[in-house]
């Protein structure tokens, strides 16, 4: 049953767009590898599932896949030379349409420990990914033969704040930032009922498609 639906009194999330099943929520009764989803991660998965179910007609010409990223040593990480640390975003989201792919690295995050506000390496990952795009596109073109291949790939990242806006605005950077400024830096607040819609809007609209 855990491969076909949410099971009553068992901590699984059934989401058929995820690339492996089952997905398990944190529960002291169950141990799993990789570790179970924490509260923020589980909320993102269930909110994404609900959004896609409610807006299926808008995605008829697209394929959407989600993958939970593994942790250090096994997952896909990004190295910060200034801090000597690697950042492993919690999820990788793919949207495919025709011969285009949008890939977003997504991290539900408290933001309380963000170093330097909008200059925090986790927030600026989107800038690194955008700078990487031209090189990636060229490599893909070089590998294509006879017009076949994956087409264009667009990269970005999002931080999904599990902390409320009013709490974060007092401690983040100057403490004077608006929600729109956070959105410009691909930081969305999970308390916002429309945060999944805003994520897809930013993901797809930034490429002028």
């Amino acid at each position: 049953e855990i491969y076909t639906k949410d099971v009553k009194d068992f901590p699984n999330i059934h989401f058929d767009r995820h690339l492996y099943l089952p997905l398990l929520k944190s529960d002291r009764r169950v141990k799993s590898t990789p570790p179970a989803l924490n509260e923020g991660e589980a909320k993102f998965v269930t909110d994404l599932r609900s959004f896609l179910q409610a807006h299926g007609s808008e995605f008829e010409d697209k394929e959407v896949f989600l993958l939970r990223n593994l942790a250090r040593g096994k997952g896909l990480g990004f190295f910060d030379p200034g801090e000597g640390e690697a950042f492993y975003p919690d999820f990788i989201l793919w949207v495919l349409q025709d011969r285009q792919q949008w890939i977003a690295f997504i991290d539900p995050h408290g933001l309380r420990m963000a170093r330097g506000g909008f200059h925090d390496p986790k927030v600026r990952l989107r800038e690194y990914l955008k700078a990487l795009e031209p090189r990636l596109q060229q490599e893909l073109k070089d590998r294509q033969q006879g017009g076949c291949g994956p087409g264009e790939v667009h990269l970005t990242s999002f931080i999904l704040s599990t902390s409320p806006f009013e709490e974060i605005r007092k401690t983040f950077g100057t403490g004077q930032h608006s929600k729109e400024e956070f959105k410009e830096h691909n930081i969305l607040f999970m308390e916002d009922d429309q945060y999944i819609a805003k994520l897809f809007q930013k993901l797809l609209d930034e490429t002028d498609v």
Side-chain angles (χ1 to χ4, degrees):
E1 288 185 300
I2 63 176
Y3 294 97
T4 60
K5 63 181 181 180
D6 291 354
V7 177
K8 184 179 180 181
D9 297 325
F10 190 78
N12 76 306
I13 301 176
H14 178 256
F15 182 39
D16 60 1
R17 305 295 185 101
H18 196 268
L19 293 177
Y20 68 81
L21 294 171
L23 276 172
L24 299 180
K25 297 179 288 186
S26 181
D27 188 305
R28 63 171 180 261
R29 299 171 298 171
V30 179
K31 293 183 179 180
S32 66
T33 300
L37 302 175
N38 63 33
E39 184 177 350
E41 295 164 348
K43 175 174 170 55
F44 166 64
V45 174
T46 55
D47 288 347
L48 177 61
R49 178 180 66 180
S50 296
F51 178 84
L52 292 174
Q53 289 173 345
H55 297 80
S57 61
E58 299 173 24
F59 289 86
E60 287 182 351
D61 59 344
K62 301 177 180 66
E63 296 180 87
V64 180
F65 301 100
L66 184 69
L67 177 64
R68 187 178 182 214
N69 195 16
L70 295 177
R72 298 178 183 276
K74 297 181 180 180
L76 179 56
F78 298 91
F79 184 68
D80 174 24
E83 297 292 332
E85 299 178 355
F87 171 42
Y88 292 80
D90 288 325
F91 296 97
I92 307 171
L93 177 70
W94 282 268
V95 179
L96 288 75
Q97 183 180 28
D98 299 324
R99 294 182 63 251
Q100 293 201 86
Q101 297 184 49
W102 293 263
I103 302 175
F105 297 88
I106 298 174
D107 199 63
H109 190 68
L111 282 180
R112 295 185 185 91
M113 303 300 292
R115 302 181 302 273
F118 294 132
H119 297 288
D120 183 272
K122 293 182 179 181
V123 176
R124 296 191 65 187
L125 175 60
R126 56 187 281 274
E127 300 174 18
Y128 166 78
L129 292 170
K130 193 56 62 178
L132 183 64
E133 260 189 27
R135 191 176 77 188
L136 176 62
Q137 302 290 20
Q138 187 59 51
E139 289 183 3
L140 291 173
K141 289 180 181 179
D142 293 342
R143 294 179 184 180
Q144 291 176 13
Q145 296 180 359
C148 298
E152 293 187 1
V153 177
H154 310 284
L155 304 174
T156 192
S157 66
F158 290 89
I159 298 291
L160 304 180
S161 177
T162 58
S163 304
F165 170 67
E166 289 300 332
E167 177 182 328
I168 294 303
R169 74 180 302 183
K170 298 174 183 177
T171 60
F172 196 89
T174 64
Q176 302 296 320
H177 302 296
S178 66
K179 266 192 178 181
E180 191 60 33
E181 287 180 276
F182 281 96
K183 182 181 175 183
E184 289 174 3
H185 289 83
N186 284 14
I187 299 174
L188 303 173
F189 290 87
M190 298 179 75
E191 66 181 357
D192 183 351
D193 292 340
Q194 299 298 315
Y195 83 94
I196 295 291
K198 292 177 180 178
L199 187 153
F200 277 110
Q201 181 184 37
K202 288 220 67 178
L203 177 63
L204 301 177
D205 287 357
E206 282 184 351
T207 54
D208 297 321
V209 174

